[in-house]
Amino acid sequence: MEDPGPGIRRRVSARKRSRRGLRETAAVSPLEPGKDPEGTEGKRRRRRSGSPRPPEYDGSEEDMFSGYDSFAENSFLAQVDDLEQKCMQSPEYGTITTKPAFEELCSKSTETSEFNIIATDGNLTDIETEDYCYSPKTLHLQENVTIEPGDDLLYDIPCSQALYFEKSKDSISDLNNSSIKESYPLPSHQTLNEIPVEQPQEKKNLSPQSTESDMNRRRSLKDRLKSAMTGNAKAQTPKFSKREQLKEAILSEEINVAKKTMESSSDDLGPFYSLPSKVRDLFVQYKGIRKLYDWQHTCLTLTCLQQRKNLIYSLPTSGGKTLVAEILMLQELLCRQKNVLMILPYVAIVQEKISSLSSFGIELGFVVEEYAGSKGRFPPIKRRGKKSLYIATIEKGHGLVNSLIEDGRINDLGLVVVDELHMIGEGSRGAILEITLAKILYTSKTTQIIGMSATLNNVEELQEFLKAEYYTSKFRPVELKEYLKINDTIYEVDTKAEKGYTFSRLLKCKYSDNLEKMDPDHLVALVTEIIPNYSCLVFCPTKKNCENVADMICKFLNKDYLKHREKEKCDFLKNLKNVHNGGLCPVLKRTIPFGVAYHHSGLTSDERKILEGAYAAGVLCLLTCTSTLAAGVNLPARRVILRAPYIATQFLKRNQYQQMIGRAGRAGIDTVGESILILQEKDKHLVLDLVNSPLENCYSHLGQEITKGIQSLLLSLIGLKIAKNLEGIYHFMCGTFFGIQQKSLSAEKSLWEISQKALATLIEKGLLQRQSVCKSEGESQCDLQITKLGQASLKGTLDLAYCDILYKDLKKGLEGLVLESYLHLIYLTTPYDMVSQCRPDWMIYLSRFSHLSSAEQKVAAIIGVSESFITKKASGQAIKKDVDKNIVNRFYLSFVLYALLKETNIWSVSEKFNMSRGYVQNLLSAAASFSSCILHFCEELEEFWVYRALLTELTKKLSYCVKADLVPLMEVTGVLESRAKQLYDAGYKTVTYLANADPEVLIRTINHLSRRQAKQIVSSAKMLLNEKAEALQEEVENLLRPPPNIPGPVALPSKSHGLTQ
């Protein structure tokens, strides 16, 4: 065998290699890459046909002995014994020799995959990326890897045998210590073949005692291997793979090179926008994205991003905004090694994003954490080994930022991404979003903010607030055509035309008198032009209208629609029934066979998710929906129809209209998207203004939402020590979005006066107090300090409108807390803000009240709800006595929650209380979140210590509202109650089972589970399991780590200064 050079060399592998048996290895001479000696292939064929091939080694730790576990005559041990005997028989047996067969075992070549970066014309940029191992900056990794003697000679040996070699390394060295050490020291880079052979006469000079000692120490290598392998069979096999280590080393090096590139001013984008080539492969594997649009490439290469400036970018719906944000987040996590916060508007979108990015976290080594509903830890775990991607709703994101500021870790947050930035101008949620961003801007100079939206107008003011650059494009992957329908005429919207529209066509439809009466807007004609071969969305003003329209359309559809994908629709109906133990809405039961369904907040999240999946798969071709679908999950359609230019009784805004019609056109499927707005003659002038007007401006709601806005902000500024007096508060307020727009929003009052009034209210409520501080002699300054009640309200992220009443309710509860049932605790955790929406059914109220136990009636008496009052309301009698209706209505909602905890079935509870399933589920979700807030509130007040343990358990029950066995599975993102039951019945009883599941087996085991869903569930389970394990490991390390300020030895007093009495 030819000398391979100064070290045994092996090429870095990009894929699994097939391995030959040892006997074959010994028989075949070394080959040059790409060449096959004459007859080799024939011998291989004869070997395969003549005798079974030895098992191939795949690098797995599961088979400890792999193909070498035989103790037979022709086994690996026998070959090693033969080598030893030959060595012993030679006159220079003290010299180590290496046979070509054993060297062949240690040197195998592999192939490396290649990708090319190709810029193409048009709207697409091909991202076939060249393997970064060929980059000059990482060439040393792609070169042959030198392996130290004695280590990677064991590359092809199973892990159990590798343990033996590790332990016996020193013994083997001692075997020849006297012969090698004296004359021929071995350099560290020298291979075994390079050891000089000793002369026989030098061997004769050894003393008999030395020879005898060497012989006594020499044990049979065969016996050693047997002993080690038997012992290792009893021990746990170490989980390491040389192949995996090399892959990880390459990925780590690529990240290091990308990090250096990003820190420099170089234009080199690395293999995939300064990210390792593995990221590009993951986008192909998990998202099917092979190419970027031109605007995405332009946006990612903006100079302002390289300089870490804040950025706002705006494009039409479905333009691909999210992909840019995900690439920027991965750059921050992998290259800059900083944590990232992504703020999304709704819980459902948070959970969808968690599921889609968990796979990336597992592959690339970062943690994805959910902050939505009752989930989320404040402050988050401080991880030393991995970085975290926090995906949060607006409210939870605010709480997270507060905890990081308080903990002094806000600079650990490298990037904040805000989706739907226009929501900063929408009510109390907009005020909370503004407060969050203002705090980040004020407290951290290193955190970058990226905002994106499809509907922004007054961008200049937002730029001033966020100190950001702006990028926009009108790109849409599919062309959108807007139409208006008046009577039976369809017009195309044309801003260049004099009237704003031009004639397009007459709607050809033959309607009977009955059909004309039932469908005066010709919806049946409009949808049958599209379905069932293409998809269609019909936006309706109200939830009830959605159901009525779906039902009406199906009454006049041809029976042929029933045959379209009939089997899949039958399976879908069965799946929908299983969600709520056989319960099925009668409207859906009639419409789904036609491929039609309705979608609104009255459905449970399970039902909506199943409907969305069926629509995306093409099983459903028509959805009648409310405007919430436009702002939620992305479900595009060939044609979008707006049933009327209203949402409830409010006329459409331009932003809402833009969101709805933006769903028209599916990238990669449709060549064009259509939107049709149906209007009456009376609304014609309003609609023309609507379609031709610019988008509405965003205006701050910080001053309008008093308790959730400016008062909440000022309380947190004092509590987090961002400001300590009115001057500091005014300085902060000047930099807010409200401060920038103040003159146009509140011309009659200055910013100073507004701040002063809000502070006075907080002091009056007992949340803040004044404190005089002496600056110098004869001069003092009035600073502000947060009270215990204020601190509790801040930690609980409560609406300050309810902090007083909550404190009184909890205080009153301590006087006679009834713990014989959950009813009293449930009442205390029933959200105040849902009471105004409650309209009790008094007959149901009376029926439930009359079935209360004596302990539960005691709860009603403590709260102040009497049976006589409910009886009078149910019988329609006049009420003379003054009763607090808020308490009565809140207690009614408590009945609903109490029934849910006992029955754990939303369907049956909603029927008993005559409420929509969606409303009941929203109530449950709000109660779980409010319970979590009260828990944090009570942790800050010592007098409420008794509530802490009680609310911890109750919060978990409200969060999942399932049997205790299903709770562990419900913790996995994307697993709802129906799916948890399926998994539990199939044997996946814990997160550990689920994390180690095979997605292909899951697909065959669980009904109605797609491959994409199976992979996401397994990835989410792995992420959750890793997160828990790392949290425990961090806790152990913190416990074992010695404190930095251990007291030193105390000097003993001298004798002359001894104690005397």
Side-chain angles (χ1 to χ4, degrees), residues 790-980:
Q791 186 69 21
S793 302
L794 176 61
K795 284 294 184 70
T797 59
L798 294 173
D799 184 346
L800 299 184
Y802 305 120
C803 61
D804 288 339
I805 188 171
L806 174 63
Y807 180 82
K808 291 175 183 177
D809 284 345
L810 293 173
K811 193 77 172 175
K812 187 177 180 181
L814 289 179
E815 297 172 5
L817 189 61
V818 180
L819 296 177
E820 293 179 46
S821 72
Y822 277 109
L823 184 59
H824 200 170
L825 279 175
I826 287 172
Y827 173 78
L828 293 173
T829 57
T830 302
Y832 294 105
D833 55 0
M834 294 198 73
V835 173
S836 60
Q837 308 169 27
C838 178
R839 299 289 182 271
D841 185 315
W842 296 107
M843 292 302 296
I844 294 173
Y845 204 159
L846 180 60
S847 173
R848 304 299 296 185
F849 199 99
S850 62
H851 287 87
L852 293 178
S853 66
S854 58
E856 292 163 348
Q857 287 178 357
K858 185 180 177 182
V859 174
I862 293 172
I863 291 168
V865 179
S866 65
E867 187 173 4
S868 61
F869 173 82
I870 299 171
T871 304
K872 288 179 180 179
K873 292 292 288 185
S875 60
Q877 297 179 32
I879 308 294
K880 295 180 181 179
K881 189 179 178 181
D882 233 6
V883 177
D884 191 336
K885 292 182 180 179
N886 288 331
I887 293 177
V888 176
N889 291 357
R890 191 176 182 216
F891 196 50
Y892 184 72
L893 293 179
S894 302
F895 278 176
V896 179
L897 293 169
Y898 189 42
L900 271 173
L901 285 191
K902 289 196 293 185
E903 299 181 28
T904 69
N905 190 320
I906 291 175
W907 189 281
S908 63
V909 171
S910 65
E911 286 184 340
K912 285 179 181 178
F913 286 90
N914 196 23
M915 293 177 169
S916 72
R917 302 181 297 282
Y919 178 82
V920 172
Q921 190 173 57
N922 289 339
L923 173 64
L924 180 65
S925 177
S929 183
F930 189 54
S931 178
S932 176
C933 292
I934 297 175
L935 176 59
H936 293 304
F937 179 87
C938 292
E939 285 173 347
E940 297 299 316
L941 297 172
E942 194 63 35
E943 58 194 302
F944 294 144
W945 62 271
V946 70
Y947 287 115
R948 295 174 196 167
L950 297 172
L951 290 175
T952 300
E953 184 63 25
L954 181 62
T955 302
K956 183 176 285 189
K957 281 183 172 292
L958 290 170
S959 297
Y960 303 111
C961 195
V962 293
K963 293 179 181 178
D965 294 340
L966 299 180
V967 169
L969 296 176
M970 293 282 286
E971 292 179 350
V972 178
T973 302
V975 175
L976 301 175
E977 182 181 359
S978 58
R979 187 71 74 199

Side-chain angles (χ1 to χ4, degrees), residues 18 75 130 253 340 361 412 457 488 742 867 1042:
S18 61
S75 68
E130 187 174 347
E253 183 62 22
V340 174
D412 292 347
N457 191 30
D488 59 351
Q742 188 269 326
E867 187 173 4

Side-chain angles (χ1 to χ4, degrees), residues 387-656:
K387 297 305 171 185
S388 294
L389 169 58
Y390 311 114
I391 303 181
T393 56
I394 292 172
E395 294 79 7
K396 284 291 184 177
H398 179 220
L400 177 65
V401 168
N402 280 348
S403 67
L404 290 174
I405 293 172
E406 185 179 22
D407 214 32
R409 292 163 50 193
I410 189 63
N411 287 321
D412 292 347
L413 205 58
L415 176 66
V416 175
V417 174
V418 182
D419 194 9
E420 309 295 352
L421 183 61
H422 62 270
M423 290 194 72
I424 201 170
E426 296 183 9
S428 61
R429 304 192 78 213
I432 295 172
L433 179 58
E434 179 184 344
I435 291 170
T436 305
L437 296 175
K439 287 177 184 173
I440 294 169
L441 288 165
Y442 194 84
T443 58
S444 176
K445 304 304 178 187
T446 59
T447 303
Q448 187 180 24
I449 296 176
I450 305 293
M452 53 181 170
S453 175
T455 54
L456 286 177
N457 191 30
N458 56 328
V459 180
E460 295 80 9
E461 289 178 320
L462 282 168
Q463 280 185 264
E464 185 181 351
F465 166 50
L466 294 177
K467 303 176 179 62
E469 301 291 323
Y470 179 60
Y471 176 83
T472 186
S473 171
K474 294 183 179 179
F475 170 79
R476 282 191 101 255
V478 178
E479 182 188 1
L480 173 63
K481 292 185 177 180
E482 299 177 49
Y483 297 96
L484 304 175
K485 177 187 173 298
I486 305 173
N487 298 324
D488 59 351
T489 308
I490 295 178
Y491 303 92
E492 184 173 359
V493 175
D494 185 0
T495 54
K496 297 178 182 179
E498 183 179 352
K499 294 182 178 181
Y501 60 89
T502 56
F503 173 81
S504 177
R505 65 186 174 99
L506 287 173
L507 186 63
K508 296 179 181 180
C509 56
K510 295 181 180 180
Y511 268 37
S512 64
D513 292 339
N514 184 36
L515 181 54
E516 187 72 37
K517 183 179 178 181
M518 295 289 291
D519 183 25
D521 296 325
H522 307 109
L523 279 171
V524 174
L526 289 173
V527 299
T528 50
E529 289 179 345
I530 296 295
I531 64 171
N533 296 322
Y534 297 98
S535 57
C536 181
L537 293 175
V538 179
F539 285 101
C540 303
T542 64
K543 289 183 281 189
K544 190 63 180 174
N545 192 234
C546 287
E547 299 177 29
N548 292 339
V549 167
D551 211 4
M552 180 273 295
I553 289 174
C554 291
K555 287 179 180 178
F556 298 101
L557 285 180
N558 192 296
K559 300 300 181 185
D560 292 339
Y561 285 89
L562 294 170
K563 299 177 182 178
H564 181 74
R565 304 184 75 162
E566 185 176 5
K567 184 180 181 303
E568 292 169 273
K569 285 185 285 194
C570 288
D571 291 341
F572 170 63
L573 268 174
K574 291 178 185 177
N575 189 22
L576 202 56
K577 285 181 182 178
N578 292 334
V579 170
H580 295 299
N581 299 323
L584 182 64
C585 170
V587 176
L588 291 177
K589 187 176 181 179
R590 291 192 298 269
T591 62
I592 286 175
F594 289 92
V596 179
Y598 66 87
H599 183 291
H600 57 62
S601 60
L603 296 168
T604 64
S605 54
D606 294 52
E607 290 173 313
R608 289 198 300 268
K609 192 168 186 178
I610 292 172
L611 287 170
E612 289 161 6
Y615 176 81
V619 177
L620 295 177
C621 54
L622 173 64
L623 285 182
T624 59
C625 51
T626 56
S627 59
T628 52
L629 184 69
V633 181
N634 186 19
L635 292 176
R638 174 68 172 268
R639 175 176 289 178
V640 170
I641 300 171
L642 279 68
R643 171 79 174 73
Y646 291 92
I647 294 179
T649 57
Q650 299 293 317
F651 195 79
L652 268 181
K653 296 180 180 178
R654 173 67 182 181
N655 289 353
Q656 295 167 331

